[in-house]
């Protein structure tokens, strides 16, 4: 291994949907504890990139190493890698037939085989942290979007993950609920967990990110530390993109 | 600036509620509607009184055959042949065994729902009930007289065939539905082949095949129970339909649910049994019950391979020279029984749906 400890290493990753080349030679190294923000227009491959990291998407060429393990198409390896990664989705993807608490203790009891009591204690701890402990016995559909997304984050934290992936976590939310989710994410960032966020929330990126990456057409186009990235974009494509998302 | 006072709620105007308003709005809202309403009343007037006369007021409820004087339904035929309609040729001295199974059923449900809290005890009950029922019905154990399946008949046979078909086809149907969605080509092809073959063949054909073809796979001389063959045929038939119904439910589950389950690190079977199936089955309940209701009615087809269910009993009881020409009463009686059971099933499915809906909102 190299001197720096990388949590995620992507080398020459290529992916095709049929004949469509979605990821072109993606190289990305993410250090332990690093906070990375990925942005870019829709269809640029940013979601696909992070979905490859926990093998929700299969890739045809290249290597991905997660915390020292080579991610190959093997059920056990994939499950081992997924056990270290929490993923937050755009549409929350809570399980509607289970109560909030049951959503949270599912992975601890079934994947990590923890005793139910311990799992419940952990779950309540994280629910308190995202400030919805009082909703523990409700069902997901009874909560607002912002609350559901906070539950989804707590559900990941119950796995005690090394890495958190966020796939546009605030894009499906009503505007007034965005900040309650971002606040939770900022709190997480302070704890030193490795975070990869696909998001267009500039404020969040400036406040939290160590590095911002711009993707377009399936490749990484520009990469910089956040202030330079937003204030002094180099490539015309990024300039154009920033103009578009800032101009209203 | 303006400030508005809080207003009290008032009653709705008198001419917008009540039965007269309802009739005006629902029955006589237009000329066409009025004509249809009157026509409907006329039809009811023409059919209902004679039907009620025949079934109830002019019917013969007691006495012997010689004493029949009224021209309504002669229910004494049903009363006379009641045991045969219910139990077929099951020996009269052993009827208590069937009645015990009938009694054990509600007791088990109460135990399962309200008494037992431990899931292992529940599972034990779930296994014990069919086993105990089988021992009671078939006998041959614990000093109970063995009753051969060709003596089984009537409503009891109908219920045995339908419940075995329903209970056995359900897990097979789930496996077929999952297999049909499998990423493994061999399993998927096998499941699709099986489902499409069964669905492309009428149940009668399957029953004939089960009765004629199945025994060819076994050594000659081994007696292969006729009822068992019918049960296998019906179970295969039903499981293909259940598989398709469940597949519909599976397809209605958003992809995000699969992804979230995967991302959490659940195994395939955990994801299916904890996340996907509970939701898919819930969506499918109306169709599953609908399919079970059709199966219940389809069980009458076993009469073509020589098993006498309740419908076959009508013909059979009418071949008694003492009681010729009582088919009408027989068929009406059987109709009422079928309707009562199927209607209860559909009501039960509605109640499950309602319960699930309130749980989730």
């Amino acid at each position: 291994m190299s001197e720096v400890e990388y949590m995620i290493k992507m080398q020459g990753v290529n992916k095709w949907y049929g004949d469509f080349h979605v990821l072109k030679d993606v190289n990305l190294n993410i250090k332990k504890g690093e906070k990375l923000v990925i942005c870019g227009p829709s269809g640029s491959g940013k979601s696909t990139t992070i979905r490859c990291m926990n093998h929700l998407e299969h890739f045809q060429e290249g290597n991905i190493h997660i915390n020292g393990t080579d991610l190959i198409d093997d059920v056990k390896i994939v499950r081992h890698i997924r056990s270290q990664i929490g993923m937050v989705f755009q549409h929350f993807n809570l399980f509607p037939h289970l109560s909030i608490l049951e959503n949270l203790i599912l992975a601890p009891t079934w994947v990590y085989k923890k005793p139910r009591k311990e799992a419940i204690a952990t779950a309540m701890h994280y629910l308190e942290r995202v400030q919805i402990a009082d909703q523990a016995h409700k069902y997901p559909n009874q909560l607002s979007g912002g609350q559901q997304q906070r539950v989804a984050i707590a559900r990941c934290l119950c796995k005690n993950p090394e890495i958190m992936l966020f796939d546009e976590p605030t894009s499906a939310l009503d505007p007034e609920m965005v900040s309650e989710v971002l606040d939770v994410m900022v709190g997480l960032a302070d704890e030193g967990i490795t975070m990869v966020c696909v998001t267009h929330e500039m404020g969040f990126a400036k406040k939290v990110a160590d590095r911002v990456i711009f993707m377009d057409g399936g490749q990484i186009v520009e990469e910089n530390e956040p202030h330079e990235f937003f204030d002094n974009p180099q490539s015309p494509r990024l300039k154009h993109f920033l103009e578009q998302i800032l101009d209203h | 600036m303006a400030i508005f006072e809080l207003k009290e709620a008032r009653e709705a105007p008198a001419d917008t509620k009540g039965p007269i308003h309802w009739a005006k709005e629902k029955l006589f809202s237009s000329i066409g509607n009025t004509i249809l309403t009157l026509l409907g009343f006329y039809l009811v007037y023409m059919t209902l009184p004679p039907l009620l006369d025949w079934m109830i007021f002019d019917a013969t409820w007691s006495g012997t055959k010689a004493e029949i004087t009224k021209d309504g339904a002669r229910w004494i035929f049903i009363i006379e042949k009641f045991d045969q309609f219910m139990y077929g040729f099951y020996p009269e001295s052993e009827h208590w065994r069937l009645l015990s199974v009938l009694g054990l059923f509600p007791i088990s449900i109460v135990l399962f729902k309200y008494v037992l809290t431990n899931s292992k005890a529940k599972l034990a009950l779930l296994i014990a009930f069919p086993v105990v029922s089988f021992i009671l019905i078939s006998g041959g154990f614990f000093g109970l007289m063995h009753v051969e399946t060709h003596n089984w008949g009537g409503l009891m046979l109908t219920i045995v065939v339908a419940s075995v078909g329903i209970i056995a086809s359900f897990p097979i149907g789930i496996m077929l539905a999952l297999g049909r969605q499998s990423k493994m080509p061999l399993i998927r092809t096998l499941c699709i082949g099986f489902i499409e073959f069964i669905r492309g063949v009428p149940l009668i054909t399957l029953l004939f095949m089960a009765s004629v073809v199945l025994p060819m796979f076994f050594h000659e001389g081994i007696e292969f129970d006729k009822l068992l063959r019918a049960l296998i045929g019906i179970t295969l038939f039903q499981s293909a339909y259940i598989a398709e119904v469940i597949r519909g439910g599976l397809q209605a589950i958003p992809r995000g649910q699969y992804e979230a389950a995967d991302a959490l690190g659940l195994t395939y079977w955990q994801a299916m049994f904890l996340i996907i199936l509970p939701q898919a089955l819930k969506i499918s309940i109306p169709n599953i019950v609908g399919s079970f209701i059709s199966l219940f009615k389809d069980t009458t087809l076993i009469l073509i391979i020589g098993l006498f269910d309740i419908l076959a009993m009508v013909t059979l009881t009418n071949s008694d020279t003492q009681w010729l020409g009582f088919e009408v009463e027989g068929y009406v009686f059987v109709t009422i029984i079928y309707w009562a059971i199927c209607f209860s099933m559909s009501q039960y499915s509605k109640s499950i749906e309602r319960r699930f809906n309130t749980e989730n909102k």
Side-chain angles (χ1 to χ4, degrees), chain A residues 51 54 56-57 79 82-83 85-87 89 92-98 103 106-107 110-113 139 141-142 155-156 159, chain B residues 254-279 282 358-361:
Chain A
R51 287 161 58 90
N54 63 350
L56 282 186
E57 301 281 355
R79 210 174 303 140
R82 281 175 179 165
S83 72
I85 302 181
M87 184 168 214
F89 298 89
F92 332 131
N93 295 355
L94 296 177
F95 304 129
H97 62 300
L98 300 177
N103 263 278
L106 193 77
W110 289 94
V111 182
Y112 304 88
K113 314 284 182 203
Y139 284 86
N141 294 343
Q142 295 170 306
R155 183 171 72 176
C156 292
K159 296 171 67 183
Chain B
R255 214 165 65 116
Q257 294 289 308
Y258 291 86
E259 288 178 351
D262 281 347
L264 282 181
L266 298 180
T267 64
Y268 173 80
W269 294 109
Q270 285 172 341
M272 287 304 136
F273 281 98
L274 297 170
I275 309 299
I276 306 301
L277 280 173
Q279 298 183 62
K282 196 168 82 187
T358 43
E359 266 175 17
N360 267 5
K361 270 165 195 160

Side-chain angles (χ1 to χ4, degrees), chain B residues 143-314:
Chain B
L144 290 171
M145 179 184 131
H146 179 54
V147 182
E148 302 241 5
T149 53
H150 60 77
N151 287 326
W152 302 14
L155 183 61
M156 161 251 172
L157 182 65
T158 301
I159 289 176
V160 166
V161 171
S163 4
V164 171
I166 286 170
I167 294 167
S169 68
F170 193 57
I172 301 178
I174 289 178
M175 288 301 140
L176 284 171
L178 292 179
R180 191 167 187 163
Q181 298 212 320
S182 167
K183 282 177 191 152
M184 287 175 260
L186 180 69
I187 291 182
R188 194 176 56 232
T189 317
L190 281 177
C191 289
I192 293 179
F194 177 83
I195 292 169
E196 294 305 332
F197 170 71
I198 299 278
R199 293 196 332 142
V201 175
L203 178 56
I204 295 192
T205 324
L206 277 178
L207 287 174
F208 275 133
M209 277 173 58
S211 129
V212 180
V213 181
L214 263 183
M216 297 198 315
F217 293 107
F218 296 86
H219 293 289
E220 238 168 290
I222 292 181
E223 184 63 32
F224 194 37
D225 192 276
K226 199 200 278 176
L227 176 61
L228 185 60
R229 282 178 265 162
L231 287 176
I232 292 175
I234 281 184
T235 302
L236 293 182
F237 175 80
Q238 183 63 8
S239 53
Y241 281 86
I242 289 295
E244 284 301 277
V245 166
I246 292 176
R247 183 168 73 111
L250 287 175
Q251 281 171 342
I253 307 300
R255 214 165 65 116
Q257 294 289 308
Y258 291 86
E259 288 178 351
D262 281 347
L264 282 181
L266 298 180
T267 64
Y268 173 80
W269 294 109
Q270 285 172 341
M272 287 304 136
F273 281 98
L274 297 170
I275 309 299
I276 306 301
L277 280 173
Q279 298 183 62
L281 291 181
K282 196 168 82 187
I283 306 173
S284 319
I285 287 172
N287 292 330
I288 292 176
V289 177
S291 176
F292 285 159
I293 291 174
S294 331
L295 173 71
F296 185 77
K297 293 182 290 187
D298 284 348
T299 56
T300 53
L301 289 172
I302 59 174
L303 82 92
I304 61 150
I305 58 169
L307 293 165
F308 292 95
D309 72 332
I310 187 167
L311 187 64
M313 280 303 154
V314 179

Side-chain angles (χ1 to χ4, degrees), chain B residues 44 47-59 61 72-73 75:
Chain B
V44 171
T47 53
L48 198 58
L51 188 68
L52 287 179
D53 280 347
W54 185 82
M55 283 186 68
I56 298 167
F57 303 117
D58 285 343
W61 295 90
W75 296 126

Side-chain angles (χ1 to χ4, degrees), chain A residues 21-242:
Chain A
H21 200 170
V22 217
L23 293 184
K24 298 172 189 156
D25 249 336
V26 173
N27 291 295
L28 188 57
N29 290 334
I30 302 167
K31 283 186 278 236
K32 191 173 162 63
E34 189 176 355
K35 282 98 192 99
L36 179 79
V37 164
I38 305 178
C39 60
S42 68
S44 60
K46 51 195 192 311
S47 287
T48 312
T49 304
I50 68 166
R51 287 161 58 90
C52 281
M53 294 174 186
N54 63 350
H55 208 263
L56 282 186
E57 301 281 355
H58 171 86
F59 54 95
Q60 285 92 343
E61 272 178 21
N63 296 304
I64 298 182
H65 288 260
I66 303 288
N67 202 11
T69 310
D70 188 5
L71 174 50
I72 53 168
D73 205 346
D74 172 279
V75 180
K76 278 191 179 146
I77 301 258
V78 167
R79 210 174 303 140
H80 170 69
I81 281 174
R82 281 175 179 165
S83 72
Q84 308 174 51
I85 302 181
M87 184 168 214
V88 177
F89 298 89
Q90 183 178 0
H91 295 286
F92 332 131
N93 295 355
L94 296 177
F95 304 129
H97 62 300
L98 300 177
S99 73
I100 300 304
L101 190 61
E102 287 164 339
N103 263 278
L104 264 68
I105 64 172
L106 193 77
T109 51
W110 289 94
V111 182
Y112 304 88
K113 314 284 182 203
K114 282 192 189 159
R116 205 180 142 83
K117 266 191 184 160
E118 194 188 319
I120 290 179
T122 316
M124 288 313 292
H125 166 74
Y126 284 116
L127 278 181
E128 242 151 64
R129 201 168 127 185
V130 299
Q131 294 169 2
I132 26 185
D134 50 333
Q135 319 274 358
H137 295 287
K138 288 194 178 169
Y139 284 86
N141 294 343
Q142 295 170 306
L143 304 190
S144 73
Q147 289 173 322
Q148 288 191 47
Q149 194 61 299
R150 284 186 281 151
V151 171
I153 295 175
R155 183 171 72 176
C156 292
L157 294 178
C158 286
K159 296 171 67 183
N160 196 19
E162 296 280 346
I163 301 167
M164 285 286 283
L165 305 175
F166 293 85
D167 191 359
E168 308 207 29
T170 55
S171 306
L173 294 177
D174 288 334
E176 77 270 21
M177 292 169 184
V178 170
S179 68
E180 62 187 66
V181 171
L182 289 180
D183 285 347
V184 172
M185 290 168 64
V186 171
L188 272 185
D190 294 338
E191 286 190 9
I193 199 167
T194 310
M195 282 168 74
V196 184
C197 316
V198 171
T199 180
H200 294 152
E201 297 294 336
M202 300 297 145
F204 173 77
K206 281 184 191 166
K207 196 191 269 174
V208 167
D210 298 310
R211 199 155 47 121
V212 185
I213 276 178
F214 174 66
M215 286 189 78
D216 194 16
Q219 51 195 131
I220 296 174
V221 174
E222 190 164 335
E223 158 183 344
N224 216 328
E225 60 88 23
H227 287 282
E228 277 295 299
F229 183 91
F230 291 112
D231 301 338
N232 191 14
Q234 301 296 313
S235 70
R237 280 193 279 180
L238 176 55
K239 279 180 192 160
H240 179 68
F241 175 74
L242 288 176

